[in-house]
Amino acid sequence: MFKSFPLSHRLLRFPVAPPISPTPSNQFSAPIDLVTVRHAFANPASVQDSQFLRREVAQRMHERLALVKLTPQDVLDAGCGEGADLPVLQTTYPQARLLGFDAAPAMLALAQIRQLGAMTSVNRLLGKFLPQSMRPGGPLLAAGDFARLPLAANAVDLVWSNLALHWHPQPDQVFAEWHRVLRTDGLLMFSCFGPDTFKELRDAFAVLDAAPHTLPFVDMHDFGDMLVNAGFATPVMDMETITVTYDTADKLLADARAWGGNPLATRRRGLCSRQAWRRVMDTLEGMRRPDGKLGLSFEIIYGHAFRPQARTTATGEAIIRFEPRRK
């Protein structure tokens, strides 16, 4: 069970991790400023128009999950946002306890409001008379850093993460943490953006300067290597490209900002001139498709892997298993 979470609390906050400083041993996806990421998602209303893609990717993840035989007791939704995936996971695994975890407290507050709104009047009435441990309620919700989960080791059977991992500067540490909280034979299933995401914006802003204006998203094969290094068994990776079309450049840029914008610590800080911005917009307009639409590419990476049985003890001693000989 979720040993770190009393059932009497439905929305929990934990100390925000300090900024991570690069070291030679770290595998960085990019010098992402986590404070900027949290600020980008501090206003849930500003990101609602971009949630259509998250829902589409979630559906495709559930199709993959349906192929895996799994009966989890405890499920972690890492990067749950406003909690849209939680009801589907609860329906898929009605006996499981769910924890929704996210770096943005404002998104979790919205998840809590929606969760309470979904409770029936009968459930609310029962909640007044039943003991706390028997009261109906939705998943637990908590805020914090993916790489520093407030969970005991071997706490969950399924880690689910939909389009969230790419906002963390150290995915290798996140994988190690997810491996720590998974039980033996537990499943990790995630999706995230790959390198071709926002390629049209990269090309358009290249006429402005050489500064990074979008994240240099991690390659699928690098994620596979990180999973193996973290101790996961036989990770399966695949990808697809989804192109979203727009009538106007303004709407395209608004959705890009709603997806988190540019949270790089090395991003350009000053404003560009009106003339320079015009060059960017003209370049973007020159990318219109034959149908007159502007396209914005999303490379979606899907991955899943299991936590295998340990081969060494905590002190580094090898574990050798003997199967009794059958007569």
Side-chain angles (χ1 to χ4, degrees), residues 7 59 81 136 185 230 283 291 311:
L7 292 178
Q59 179 180 338
D185 296 326
T283 303
D291 61 2
R311 295 183 179 180

Side-chain angles (χ1 to χ4, degrees), residues 141-184:
L141 301 172
D145 184 348
F146 287 169
R148 303 180 185 186
L149 295 172
L151 289 173
N154 308 307
V156 302
D157 305 289
L158 170 63
V159 174
W160 165 280
S161 184
N162 178 19
L163 295 182
L165 179 62
H166 47 260
W167 299 125
H168 199 283
Q170 291 179 298
D172 59 323
Q173 291 191 7
V174 175
F175 284 143
E177 184 70 345
W178 288 349
H179 182 275
R180 182 186 69 82
V181 302
L182 271 172
R183 297 183 179 121
T184 299

Side-chain angles (χ1 to χ4, degrees), residues 9 12 41 56 62 66 88 99 119 122 131 166 181 183-184 209 227 234 246 256 283 304 306 312-313 326:
H9 295 83
L12 308 177
F41 294 96
E56 177 64 28
H62 279 290
V88 184
L99 169 63
M119 291 178 62
V122 173
H166 47 260
V181 302
R183 297 183 179 121
T184 299
D209 53 35
L227 286 167
T234 58
Y246 296 89
T283 303
H304 72 265
F306 289 89
T312 60
T313 66
R326 297 182 179 179

Side-chain angles (χ1 to χ4, degrees), residues 189-272:
M189 177 163 283
F190 71 95
S191 63
C192 60
F193 290 158
D196 276 349
T197 301
F198 298 158
K199 63 181 182 181
E200 294 86 358
L201 289 178
R202 270 197 303 275
D203 292 344
F205 278 96
V207 305
L208 181 63
D209 53 35
H213 292 271
T214 65
L215 289 181
F217 298 102
V218 177
D219 183 78
M220 175 178 68
H221 301 92
D222 292 330
F223 275 134
D225 291 341
M226 292 182 198
L227 286 167
V228 172
N229 292 337
F232 285 97
T234 58
V236 176
M237 308 293 301
D238 66 303
M239 59 79 66
E240 63 179 337
T241 299
I242 297 176
T243 302
V244 180
T245 58
Y246 296 89
D247 292 325
T248 68
D250 288 341
K251 178 55 178 172
L252 183 153
L253 291 169
D255 272 8
R257 286 190 290 269
W259 276 109
N262 181 8
L264 290 173
T266 55
R267 67 190 182 279
R268 173 176 173 160
R269 304 286 178 168
L271 297 175
C272 66

Side-chain angles (χ1 to χ4, degrees), residues 1-6 12 14 140 149-153 155:
M1 62 181 297
F2 299 123
K3 298 179 181 178
S4 301
F5 294 87
L12 308 177
F14 295 86
L140 297 172
L149 295 172
L151 289 173

Side-chain angles (χ1 to χ4, degrees), residues 39-61:
H39 179 73
F41 294 96
N43 180 11
S46 67
V47 304
Q48 287 309 303
D49 286 348
S50 67
Q51 293 294 2
F52 65 91
L53 183 62
R54 185 184 177 96
R55 302 277 54 79
E56 177 64 28
V57 173
Q59 179 180 338
R60 300 182 188 199
M61 288 178 65

